[in-house]
């Protein structure tokens, strides 16, 4: 009888014991197959451009961005790795360059460079890593005032920009392909076809296109042959090889581009159907993972 009681107790104990590791993330290929991190890094190191599509408030994604940057540096020769960031606009690039060179203090940089509100927790570690390892940092985004005026008045609002202002953007005028899936999705959010909508959706799509095209332009023009530019951007700018990737295809079709995208799921065992082919590599984060804001 005592043996049966002990056996029953052991069965109950093991029945309620959690088994296996609690993974912080899982990595998949575009097709949804489990991916090997080291193999992924070899492919990223061979690329000309790596677009890391993040969710801006995802703490685990920001940690992984730093790990990818560190591991890419190990795989590249000196002078072959650059860091590009959506989070800094072209008009503050001189400040970004001074910070990377170690000639601008943290306090002055944060006061003058208009960093995002979550800079301290999410992006400062990347900049400090780049500065400590003498890696160029490229702010690639269109200045906010230009994107805002396009959203309000369309791309024609840029027609009379000065020559100096034009250097902060992709070459104008822009020819927007409204049939790109990302732009079509934006039009659907506003209830119709972006081409058919006067103002509204069309202007917002044009503002998005201005950002995508500007980031693509400065990604392309900032790197030299043999270099890998690791670029951090919101995933919508590169998911489905759209956005930035589409503009790069127009201007530099021979560039070898690899994409990553961070998504959240309730379970990490398999890649859910809607995430298949979203990027060359998909990082799945638990839905209850910490957010920075």
């Amino acid at each position: 009888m005592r043996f049966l009681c002990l056996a029953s107790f052991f069965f109950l104990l093991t029945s309620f014991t959690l088994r296996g590791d609690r993974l912080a993330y899982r990595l998949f290929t575009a097709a949804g197959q489990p991916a090997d991190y080291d193999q992924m890094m070899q492919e990223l190191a061979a690329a000309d451009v790596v677009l890391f599509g993040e969710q801006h408030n995802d703490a685990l994604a920001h940690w992984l961005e730093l790990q990818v940057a560190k591991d890419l540096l190990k795989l590249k020769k000196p002078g072959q790795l650059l860091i590009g960031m959506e989070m800094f606009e072209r008009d503050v690039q001189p400040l970004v360059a001074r910070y990377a060179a170690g000639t601008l203090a943290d306090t002055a940089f944060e006061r003058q460079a208009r960093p995002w509100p979550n800079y301290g927790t999410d992006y400062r570690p990347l900049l400090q890593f780049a500065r400590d390892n003498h890696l160029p940092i490229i702010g690639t985004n269109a200045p906010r005032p230009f994107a805002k005026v396009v959203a309000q008045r369309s791309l024609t609002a840029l027609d009379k920009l000065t020559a100096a202002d034009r250097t902060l953007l992709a070459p104008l005028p822009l020819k927007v392909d409204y049939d790109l899936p990302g732009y079509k999705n934006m039009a659907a959010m506003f209830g119709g076809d972006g081409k058919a909508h006067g103002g509204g959706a069309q202007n917002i799509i044009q503002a998005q296109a201005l950002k995508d095209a500007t980031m693509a332009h400065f990604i392309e023009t900032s790197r030299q042959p043999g270099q890998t530019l690791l670029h951090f951007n919101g995933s919508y700018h590169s998911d489905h090889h759209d956005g930035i990737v589409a503009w790069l295809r127009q201007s530099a079709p021979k560039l070898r581009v690899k994409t990553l995208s961070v998504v959240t799921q309730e379970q990490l065992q398999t890649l859910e159907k809607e995430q298949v082919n979203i990027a060359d590599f998909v990082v799945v984060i638990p839905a209850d993972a910490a957010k920075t804001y």
Side-chain angles (χ1 to χ4, degrees):
M1 177 65 71
R2 185 178 180 184
F3 172 78
L4 290 175
C5 290
L6 287 173
S8 297
F9 174 75
F10 179 75
F11 172 78
L12 289 172
L13 181 65
T14 55
S15 296
F16 290 98
T17 299
L18 294 174
R19 298 178 180 178
D21 295 331
R22 302 294 288 173
L23 298 177
Y25 75 92
R26 288 200 70 183
L27 186 64
F28 294 90
T29 66
Q33 298 300 313
D36 178 77
Y37 179 87
D38 291 338
Q39 179 59 40
M40 179 189 75
M41 291 307 307
Q42 292 292 334
E43 292 190 31
L44 300 187
D48 299 316
V49 176
V50 177
L51 301 175
F52 197 127
E54 64 170 39
Q55 303 299 317
H56 296 316
N57 64 349
D58 195 323
L60 277 173
H62 293 303
W63 170 82
L64 188 58
E65 287 173 342
L66 184 58
Q67 308 317 306
V68 167
K70 289 179 177 179
D71 291 335
L72 265 182
L73 181 61
K74 296 174 185 175
L75 294 171
K76 303 296 291 187
K77 295 178 181 178
Q80 288 188 335
L81 181 63
L82 300 81
I83 304 294
M85 302 183 73
E86 172 197 3
M87 300 79 200
F88 294 99
E89 298 158 25
R90 287 305 300 172
D91 59 319
V92 301
Q93 178 58 31
L95 300 174
V96 174
R98 287 178 58 197
Y99 184 87
T103 60
L104 184 64
D106 285 23
T107 53
F109 179 75
E110 293 183 38
R111 187 172 63 252
Q112 300 173 46
R114 302 194 309 274
W116 289 9
N118 57 326
Y119 167 76
T121 54
D122 297 343
Y123 303 113
R124 183 193 285 125
L126 281 168
L127 268 74
Q128 291 177 332
F129 163 76
R131 182 185 61 189
D132 293 346
N133 289 279
H134 311 291
L135 302 179
I137 308 169
I138 314 299
T140 60
N141 209 353
R144 277 169 256 187
F146 299 137
K148 182 177 180 180
V149 74
V150 170
Q152 293 171 339
R153 296 166 44 199
S154 86
L155 282 166
T156 60
L158 306 180
D159 289 347
K160 296 183 180 180
L161 285 184
T162 65
D165 283 343
R166 285 173 176 262
T167 66
L168 304 174
L169 301 170
L172 298 174
L174 293 181
K175 184 177 180 180
V176 180
D177 181 359
Y178 294 97
D179 289 326
L180 288 175
Y183 298 160
K184 290 180 74 172
N185 288 340
M186 291 181 69
M189 293 177 197
F190 289 87
D193 179 3
K195 290 178 289 186
H197 273 51
Q202 181 171 325
N203 290 355
I204 293 171
I205 292 167
Q206 289 182 4
Q208 179 82 356
L210 179 67
K211 294 179 180 181
D212 290 338
T214 298
M215 286 189 272
H217 174 69
F218 288 105
I219 288 170
E220 178 193 350
T221 58
S222 296
R223 61 170 299 280
Q224 300 296 321
Q227 292 181 325
T228 295
L229 194 151
L230 172 61
H231 190 266
F232 301 106
N233 52 263
S235 61
Y236 200 85
H237 290 290
S238 54
D239 278 355
H240 301 289
H241 297 89
D242 205 354
I244 297 170
V245 185
W247 288 96
L248 283 172
R249 285 200 197 104
Q250 288 186 32
S251 58
K254 293 184 179 180
L255 280 181
R256 296 168 296 176
V257 179
K258 290 290 182 179
T259 61
L260 289 82
S261 186
V262 178
V263 303
T264 58
Q265 294 184 177
E266 294 294 336
Q267 54 81 29
L268 272 62
Q269 285 72 34
T270 60
L271 187 65
E272 294 175 0
K273 184 178 179 180
E274 60 268 25
Q275 314 296 4
V276 172
N277 292 321
I278 201 171
D280 293 308
F281 295 96
V282 184
V283 181
V284 179
I285 301 290
D288 60 355
K291 308 298 181 186
T292 55
Y293 64 88

